[in-house]
Amino acid sequence: MNLFEAIETRRSVRKYLKEAVPRAVMEKALQAALLAPNSSNLQPWEFYWVTSAEKKARLVTACLDQATAATAAELVVFVARTDTWRRNRKLILDVLHQRGNPAKQQLDYYQKIVPLFYTHGWLGVTGLLKRLVFPIVGWFRPVPRGPFSRTRLQGMLNKTVALACENFMLAITAQGYSTCPMEGFDEQRVKRILGLGREATITMVISVGKEDPAGIYGARLRLDPKLFVFEV
Ligand SMILES: Cc1cc2nc3c(=O)[nH]c(=O)nc-3n(C[C@H](O)[C@H](O)[C@H](O)COP(=O)(O)O)c2cc1C
C-alpha cells in the first residue's frame, strides 16, 4: 500500500474482530511514530503500549467503555511531556559532539533558545515576564509569541505528538490493520493507570485491531474543500 492508499483507506474503526495484531505490526508502527517530525527534535513524547490485561481493562473503562477500546486487540496511549526536554537535549548534544564539530548555531539553539521557551520559572513568573516583554519587542520586529506558559507549552507539544499519532495510524493501516484515535477518555484515570504525573498530557489513546465491517460508521464524510483550502 502506498502512502496515498493508506491515507484513503484509514478510517476510524469503532468495532474490531476477535483477531490478534502481530507484535511485528505494532513494533513497526511504533517505530514509524518515532520518525515523526517534532519540535526542536526534542522528542517530547512517550508511547505506552498497554499489554498488561489488568491495565488494559482499566484503560477501557477510562476510555469511557467506548466500543473501539473494548473490542481492540491493542491500545496505545500517546503522551506529551513537558519535563523530558532537559534529558533529551543533553542526549542530543552528546550525539552532536560525538558526530564532531557541532555548529555554534546548533549549540546556541539547544543551550539558549530552547530553555527560553521550555521554562516558565517559579510560579510562572519568567513566563509572565516573557508575556510582557515579547509583545513590546514585537512592535518593532517579528518575535515568537509563545509558549510563555505551561498550558501553551502543552499545546505546542501536543502538536508534535499528534504527528506521531498519524504516523502510527498510517503505518498500522499500511500493514492491513485499523485504528481509532480517541480523546474521549478520563485523563486523570489514564494517567493513574500509567503512573504519570502533572508533567504528562495524554494526547490520544489509539485502539488497534482487525476491522469489523460493522465498525465503520457510514461512508467517509468530508465537507467541501472550498471551506478549508485557500490559495492566497
Ligand atoms: C483527536 C481526535 C480524537 C478523537 N476521539 C474519538 C473518540 O474518542 N471516539 C471515537 O469514536 N472517535 C474519535 N475520533 C475519531 C473521529 O471521530 C474521526 O476521525 C472522524 O469522525 C473522521 O472519520 P475518519 O477517521 O473515519 O475519517 C477522534 C479523532 C481525533 C483526531
Side-chain angles (χ1 to χ4, degrees), residues 40-110:
S40 301
N41 205 15
L42 282 165
Q43 301 157 61
W45 44 44
E46 281 174 349
F47 314 142
Y48 291 84
W49 176 12
V50 179
T51 54
S52 136
E54 182 261 335
K55 283 196 168 66
K56 214 163 143 194
R58 286 170 62 203
L59 186 55
V60 170
T61 309
C63 289
L64 315 175
D65 282 317
Q66 294 193 55
T68 188
T71 61
E74 305 296 342
L75 289 171
V76 183
V77 184
F78 286 78
V79 174
R81 302 217 40 144
T82 53
D83 60 338
T84 51
W85 67 272
R86 278 196 182 83
R87 177 199 67 190
N88 296 356
R89 177 183 65 159
K90 186 192 171 305
L91 294 170
I92 287 170
L93 286 170
D94 287 349
V95 173
L96 292 178
H97 283 294
Q98 277 159 23
R99 287 182 178 174
N101 275 338
K104 184 179 176 317
Q105 263 171 320
Q106 270 181 316
L107 298 180
D108 282 352
Y109 183 77
Y110 283 112

Side-chain angles (χ1 to χ4, degrees), residues 12-56:
S12 293
V13 169
R14 276 53 179 250
K15 189 166 178 259
Y16 299 99
L17 300 173
K18 278 196 174 65
E19 190 181 317
V21 176
R23 189 171 184 86
V25 168
M26 292 296 290
E27 284 173 354
K28 200 165 181 174
L30 287 165
Q31 281 302 319
L34 290 169
L35 295 181
N38 63 90
S39 189
S40 301
N41 205 15
L42 282 165
Q43 301 157 61
W45 44 44
E46 281 174 349
F47 314 142
Y48 291 84
W49 176 12
V50 179
T51 54
S52 136
E54 182 261 335
K55 283 196 168 66
K56 214 163 143 194

Side-chain angles (χ1 to χ4, degrees), residues 1-12 163 165-179 211 216 220-222:
M1 199 184 286
N2 71 29
L3 176 65
F4 289 99
E5 284 164 347
I7 290 171
E8 278 158 24
T9 306
R10 186 211 58 77
R11 292 296 314 276
S12 293
L163 294 176
C165 292
E166 180 68 345
N167 267 20
F168 176 81
M169 290 189 283
L170 291 177
I172 291 284
T173 308
Q175 297 177 90
Y177 292 86
S178 296
T179 57
E211 169 193 320
I216 304 268
R220 175 99 85 181
L221 193 164
R222 289 294 188 269

Side-chain angles (χ1 to χ4, degrees), residues 149-169:
S149 70
R150 252 175 69 85
T151 315
R152 290 284 302 275
L153 179 62
Q154 283 166 341
M156 185 181 100
L157 301 182
N158 270 322
K159 283 190 250 179
T160 274
V161 179
L163 294 176
C165 292
E166 180 68 345
N167 267 20
F168 176 81
M169 290 189 283

